[in-house]
Structure formats: structure tokens, C-alpha cells
Amino acid sequence: MTEREYNECVTTYADNVYRFILKNLRNEEDARDVVQTSFEKMWVHRDEVDATKSKSYLFTVAYRQMIDHIRKVKRVQLKEEFNEGIKIQNKPANNLKKILDEALARLSETQRTLVLLKDYEGYSYEEIGRITSLSESQVKVYLHRARVQLKEYLVKVENVI
Amino acid sequence: MMRIDRHNYEECFILYWDNELTASQKQAIENFVKENPDLQEEFTVLGEARFTPDSKIQFEEKNFLLNSSTINITNYEERLLSYIDDELNPEERKEIERSAEKNPLVQKELSLLQKTKLQPEAELVFPGKSDLYRTEEKISVIRMTWFRVAVAAAIILITGFTVLQLVNGNKDGNDPTVAKINESKTEAAKSNNSSTTPGGQKSPDQTPVDERTTKVNTGDNKKETGTNKKNDIKPVIENKDQQSSVVAYQPENKNNLPKENKRPDESETTNVGDTEVAILDKKDIDGATAAINTVLTDFDVTPKDNISLYIPEPEKERGGLKGFLRKTTRVFERRTKIQTTTEDNKLLVGAFALSLK
């Protein structure tokens, strides 16, 4: 991967990675750190990175960085989720996107990651498996379970309305 | 069965039409209707008030219930999930779509699942993207390393050559050095006197304290940089041959060397005088300043700052003198170091490089 390819990768994928991480971590500063570190790693290892696979390399590195980060601040995460649960109960759901975001927040980290990789980036089960070090069938099962959970949350909220 | 009469015929008619009677009972009912024509209408109306199944009504999603079909009640959710995850081939996709059209259950489930699909938010943009752009430093680094290697090689060559030359010079003059030093020590007083007596340009040059020598050095050095570097260096070597001792313990030999060329004996004495007697004679110092001026004019030495800078060095040389007596090579090293460090490093290095080449 050349310098130009690296910079193109920044232009093309920085926002995507950032969205992916931000949606998972729900903290802009942390997300920024993770993205920066990921790009640094890619720069350092640019000689080993195939330019055609730069995106999945980037997402793989970012995902690992994110997992490391989550492990570091696990307690904070749990607290945030708890608050979110209270909010959901009190708040009338006004639009689908908001409800979906809430539903997404209630998924496990792995499920959330899989859903985001699938919906945001359109990765196949196989590619997601490579990024997250899961088998294709695991990805499929987790992702389907997550999707059903999302659906049930939507149904529940709609019924409440 | 009870006996049919005009009081209970209705119940019997219903039982008849509900097909709850035996054939003989049915026959009895039919005979009763014939016997009572006024009840005939009621009998037929009850018969018409029955429902028959509508064969037109069919269960459309019959296939959906069959496990044999590709999408059915047991697998439809999984298939739909794969559909919205875009993991099906075109043919399978079409099948799902057809099934959704036909089956409201599938349709409803599909639309619900499609709602769970997240859309990336374009407004979310990484804020520090400009920090991520990089430029390769590799090329410049390589250049630097090559440059450094070249410089290092040049330095090594220079030092190597100088050491070799010095060693050769020492071979010729090592023994003489000790002798000359002794002589110089004995002649120190003489040198002082001689330096004052001779007058003229040479006497002040020789007599002056370290300052002169230093200034002369500066003059020489600047000459080196300015005019001919080779010439300056060559005389040094020759001088070394002639007076290795002087060269050895005084890092600033060059100054003396030109002088020595003029008068080797005097130069020896001056060297010793510089180290030992220099500070003692104030007259010499006065004469030295005058001589310095003359020397400066001769050698185009400009700044007086140099003088102040070089004064401490000779004091070090005194220590160097002892060191020289112990190990000549060490002194050579110091000498080379001084050449590189006392003045601007780059200039000296360049000068040597040129001279060697």
C-alpha cells in the first residue's frame, strides 16, 4: 500500500470507520481515538497491507481497538446502558430511527458490531466473520438473533403506542 | 324416537335435516309431511337453511405450510433475515419476493424486518481527518542515512590518514620529541630571552604567550578555509617530522608550524615557552599583543573574540603535555579532536577531506 493509497483510504473510509466505532462506543472522543490509532497502525504496516483489502484491514484493526477499549471501560459502558433503559421507558417513540437506535443500544456488543457491519458497510457474513474472528455460521446466527431482537423491540414499541 | 305429531314436528324436522335420524325414522317424517301438506313449506325451508361449503374458498398459503417448499412456516424467518442481509442469490430473492406477495404473513414479517435495517448517517463525519493524512518520509530518511554514512566514512578516512601520517611522523621523531622537550624545558628561559631580544616580527611571534599561538592558529585556520587548505596541512606534517614533540602536545600546531618553517629552533623554544613560561612574562604578553596584531594583519585574522576563546586551550595543553609523554597516540587523538571541535566542525572536516583527496 503506497502513501497515495493510504491517503485515499483515509478519504474514503475514515468516516465509515468513525461511524461504525461511534455507534458502538457512543462516545465521540473515544471513537476518534480508536479511529486514529487504527489509521496509525495501518500506516505503520502499510507495506504489508494489500491496497484492495485496505477497508477490511482497517475495520479489523478498528474493531480490535474498539474491543480493547471496551474492555478497559467496561463499567462505564454498563452504567450507560442502564440509564438508557430508563430513558426508553419514559420516552414516547416518535420516529423509527430513534427507536432503532435505542434498540441497537440494547444489543450486546457483538450483536451491535455485526448489525453495523452488515447494515452500514454491507459486508457479507464471510467478511464480517473475518473482521470479527467469528465463523460464518456464528455470524449468521448472532446476526439473525440480533435482528429478531430489533424486530421485537420495534413491535413492542409500536404496540405501546 | 318419539312419535311425531303436530306438536313436536319442528324438532323432528330439524333432526331430519341435521341427518341425525335413521332411515326408518326419516321415512316416517316424510310420510308425516305428505299427510300434512300445510307443513310441507316449513319442512323445505328448514332444509334450505343449511350451509354448504364454498369450494371456491381455498387456502392460498397452503404451500407455506408444507415443509417441502423452499420457504415455509418453519424456515421463513431465517430466509427473510438472509434476504434482508442480502445473503441470498437472485433466484432465492425472487422466491422470497413472490412469497411475500402471496402471503400476508410473510409480507408483514418482511416489512418489519426491513425496518430494523440501519442506515449509515451521512452527517456523522470523522472530525480529525486531516490529521490522518500522511506523507512518506522514507525517501528523505534514506538520503539522510546515505549522507550520514558518507560523512562518517569521510571522517573515518580523514582520521585514519591523519593518524597514519602522524604515526609515521612519530616514528621519525618520537625519540627526538623527548629529547627536544627536555631541551625545550632547559631552553625555556633562553627562549624567553631570545624571544624578547631578537625583535622584529619573528621574536614577538615566538615570545608571545599562548594567545599568539592561538591567534596564529586562527589565522592559519582561516587561511585554510579561505585560501589553500592543502598548503596549511602539508606544512603541519612537515613540521611534525621536524618537531614531532611540538606537534604532539600542542593541538594548535599549525600556528607554530609556519613559524617553525621560518625558524625551527625558535619555534621549539616558543612552544615550551608557551606552555610553561607564557603566563609569567607580562612583557612577553605585551609583545605578544603587538605581535598578534601583526600576525593578524599578516594572516587576515579579524575577530578578537577568537583570542578570548583560545586562551583557555593552551592551559589544557599543559595537561596534554603530560598526556603526550605517556601516550603519543592519545595525544594524536586529542589533536584530531581539537581540530574538529575547537573550531567549526564542518569547516575543519571539509578542509581535511579536501587535503586528503
Side-chain angles (χ1 to χ4, degrees):
Chain A
M1 162 175 236
T2 64
E3 175 197 336
R4 214 183 97 243
E5 284 163 343
Y6 166 84
N7 285 327
E8 277 173 9
C9 192
V10 171
T11 311
T12 319
Y13 301 128
D15 292 337
N16 298 46
V17 184
Y18 178 63
R19 271 175 218 140
F20 168 60
I21 301 295
L22 179 62
K23 279 283 167 185
N24 269 295
L25 295 181
R26 281 167 289 157
N27 180 313
E28 289 182 13
E29 231 167 88
D30 294 348
R32 210 155 44 215
D33 285 349
V34 168
V35 173
Q36 261 164 4
T37 317
S38 308
F39 271 102
E40 270 169 32
K41 291 215 163 178
M42 191 165 82
W43 175 254
V44 170
H45 299 107
R46 63 186 180 281
D47 292 338
E48 304 149 26
V49 179
D50 183 356
T52 56
K53 292 174 183 164
S54 59
K55 189 187 175 189
S56 35
Y57 180 87
L58 188 61
F59 271 84
T60 308
V61 172
Y63 173 72
R64 285 184 195 149
Q65 291 289 317
M66 185 184 75
I67 294 295
D68 289 349
H69 178 84
I70 287 170
R71 281 181 192 149
K72 274 186 218 157
V73 292
K74 194 106 192 174
R75 277 181 302 164
V76 181
Q77 285 277 321
L78 284 173
K79 203 179 164 192
E80 277 179 12
E81 275 176 26
F82 179 66
N83 288 338
E84 200 123 7
I86 292 168
K87 257 191 279 169
I88 287 162
Q89 284 178 349
N90 300 334
K91 191 170 51 180
N94 20 20
N95 64 54
L96 177 66
K97 202 180 148 303
K98 228 175 195 175
I99 299 165
L100 260 188
D101 276 348
E102 290 164 4
L104 186 70
R106 302 188 135 220
L107 296 177
S108 73
E109 285 149 17
T110 313
Q111 285 177 322
R112 195 160 48 233
T113 302
L114 300 184
V115 170
L116 288 169
L117 284 175
K118 172 51 89 177
D119 288 355
Y120 276 23
E121 305 305 326
Y123 276 124
S124 69
Y125 293 158
E126 193 192 346
E127 287 167 321
I128 293 173
R130 248 183 275 132
I131 289 170
T132 57
S133 306
L134 296 170
S135 76
E136 194 180 334
S137 56
Q138 275 177 312
V139 171
K140 188 176 170 182
V141 169
Y142 289 160
L143 193 51
H144 283 194
R145 227 175 271 164
R147 191 79 71 187
V148 169
Q149 244 171 280
L150 288 177
K151 185 200 76 179
E152 279 167 4
Y153 187 80
L154 286 190
V155 173
K156 207 166 67 184
V157 172
E158 281 174 358
N159 286 342
V160 168
I161 298 164
Chain B
M1 179 186 162
M2 63 209 147
R3 187 176 172 79
I4 186 168
D5 54 24
R6 289 193 72 85
H7 298 288
N8 67 356
Y9 70 89
E10 193 175 34
E11 189 187 350
C12 292
F13 285 177
I14 290 168
L15 288 170
Y16 177 90
W17 289 117
D18 279 352
N19 206 20
E20 294 287 331
L21 302 176
T22 61
S24 60
Q25 289 170 334
K26 280 186 180 179
Q27 190 60 49
I29 297 289
E30 286 165 11
N31 292 337
F32 176 76
V33 172
K34 282 177 188 171
E35 289 165 9
N36 303 285
D38 58 314
L39 299 178
Q40 175 69 48
E41 190 184 352
E42 198 173 349
F43 178 75
T44 51
V45 167
L46 276 173
E48 286 167 359
R50 291 182 303 151
F51 295 94
T52 52
D54 186 355
S55 62
K56 288 178 189 169
I57 296 173
Q58 286 180 337
F59 186 54
E60 294 288 337
E61 298 85 27
K62 216 186 307 179
N63 287 333
F64 185 65
L65 303 177
L66 298 174
N67 275 347
S68 58
S69 70
T70 48
I71 176 163
N72 57 52
I73 190 84
T74 58
N75 73 354
Y76 79 102
E77 189 169 54
E78 191 267 329
R79 303 296 288 170
L80 290 179
L81 287 165
S82 295
Y83 174 82
I84 64 162
D85 281 348
D86 203 15
E87 295 281 338
L88 300 178
N89 59 44
E91 207 171 299
E92 289 170 324
R93 291 187 67 82
K94 275 182 189 171
E95 201 179 333
I96 295 283
E97 283 155 15
R98 273 201 305 271
S99 172
E101 280 174 24
K102 281 191 285 183
N103 192 332
L105 177 64
V106 176
Q107 176 68 58
K108 189 186 168 196
E109 190 71 14
L110 182 61
S111 69
L112 196 53
L113 284 176
Q114 272 167 339
K115 279 187 193 169
T116 68
K117 211 148 166 66
L118 304 168
Q119 295 300 321
E121 295 156 47
E123 68 269 15
L124 277 183
V125 176
F126 184 68
K129 210 189 286 183
S130 57
D131 298 338
L132 298 178
Y133 291 111
R134 307 271 178 135
T135 50
E136 295 252 9
E137 297 166 2
K138 234 179 179 177
I139 297 162
S140 61
V141 168
I142 287 169
R143 280 176 189 164
M144 286 301 291
T145 52
W146 278 111
F147 179 72
R148 282 175 187 169
V149 167
V151 170
I155 290 169
I156 291 165
L157 281 171
I158 290 160
T159 51
F161 273 104
T162 49
V163 167
L164 272 174
Q165 287 170 343
L166 288 169
V167 168
N168 290 332
N170 286 333
K171 282 175 185 173
D172 296 337
N174 261 336
D175 297 333
T177 55
V178 180
K180 284 177 182 177
I181 290 161
N182 293 331
E183 290 174 2
S184 62
K185 286 178 181 176
T186 54
E187 291 173 356
K190 292 178 182 178
S191 66
N192 291 332
N193 294 329
S194 63
S195 63
T196 52
T197 49
Q201 293 179 349
K202 294 174 182 175
S203 64
D205 289 343
Q206 297 166 351
T207 50
V209 195
D210 304 334
E211 293 177 358
R212 286 182 202 165
T213 58
T214 55
K215 287 173 184 177
V216 174
N217 290 331
T218 58
D220 289 340
N221 292 330
K222 289 182 178 179
K223 269 189 172 182
E224 289 175 1
T225 56
T227 59
N228 292 330
K229 297 163 186 175
K230 292 178 181 177
N231 291 334
D232 291 337
I233 295 163
K234 283 177 180 175
V236 174
I237 296 160
E238 291 171 359
N239 293 328
K240 289 167 192 168
D241 294 335
Q242 292 174 352
Q243 299 176 345
S244 62
S245 63
V246 177
V247 174
Y249 72 81
Q250 278 199 346
E252 301 164 352
N253 293 325
K254 295 170 187 176
N255 310 326
N256 296 328
L257 300 173
K259 296 171 193 172
E260 289 166 3
N261 289 333
K262 294 171 184 177
R263 287 185 183 180
D265 295 336
E266 289 178 356
S267 64
E268 291 174 3
T269 55
T270 52
N271 292 330
V272 179
D274 290 340
T275 54
E276 294 178 353
V277 187
I279 299 166
L280 298 174
D281 290 340
K282 292 179 180 177
K283 291 178 182 178
D284 292 344
I285 293 164
D286 294 336
T289 52
I292 288 158
N293 292 332
T294 56
V295 171
L296 287 172
T297 51
D298 292 336
F299 291 101
D300 297 334
V301 179
T302 46
K304 290 181 179 178
D305 297 339
N306 292 333
I307 298 164
S308 62
L309 287 172
Y310 286 102
I311 289 166
E313 292 172 2
E315 293 175 357
K316 291 176 183 175
E317 287 171 8
R318 290 174 188 171
L321 179 61
K322 294 173 184 176
F324 167 75
L325 292 170
R326 294 168 189 166
K327 291 181 181 179
T328 52
T329 55
R330 197 174 168 189
V331 177
F332 295 144
E333 288 176 0
R334 284 185 186 177
R335 184 175 170 278
T336 53
K337 280 180 186 175
I338 289 160
Q339 284 174 350
T340 54
T341 54
T342 51
E343 299 168 2
D344 292 340
N345 293 330
K346 293 174 183 175
L347 290 171
L348 285 172
V349 169
F352 271 101
L354 287 169
S355 68
L356 287 170
K357 287 170 184 176

